[in-house]
């Protein structure tokens, strides 16, 4: 069950809220989401359902740029058959 439906009726609304705070406060997506969860006493594991694909991609880029995660292998090289 999604706890945040009282304030956000859809993932789009939640993601727009996060985007607005990132732009307004000049802080990262990850920090905004963590801050939101702390301020609303929400387990961070519960917000994944409210993050749109577009926002997930932005969070991934931010995490890669911050070296929090390795970028996915975008051009895998195939091994020649044995």
């Amino acid at each position: 069950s999604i706890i945040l439906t009282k304030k956000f009726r859809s993932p789009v609304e939640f993601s727009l809220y996060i985007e607005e705070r990132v732009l307004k406060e000049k802080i990262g997506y990850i920090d905004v989401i963590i801050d939101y969860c702390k301020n609303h006493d929400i387990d961070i594991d519960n917000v994944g359902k409210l993050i749109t694909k577009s926002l997930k991609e932005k969070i991934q880029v931010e995490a890669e740029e911050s070296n929090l995660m390795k970028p996915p292998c975008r051009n895998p090289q195939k091994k020649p058959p044995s």
Side-chain angles (χ1 to χ4, degrees), residues 41-59:
D41 197 29
I42 296 168
D43 186 340
I44 198 146
D45 292 334
N46 292 328
V47 293
K49 298 171 190 163
L50 284 175
I51 297 175
T52 61
K53 182 179 178 185
S54 171
L55 184 56
K56 283 180 187 175
E57 290 170 356
K58 291 174 183 176
I59 292 167

Side-chain angles (χ1 to χ4, degrees), residues 61-79:
V61 168
E62 179 182 277
E64 290 169 6
E65 289 175 352
S66 302
N67 293 319
L68 297 174
M69 66 183 285
K70 291 182 180 180
C73 188
R74 300 201 192 287
N75 193 5
Q77 295 188 6
K78 293 183 180 180
K79 293 181 180 178

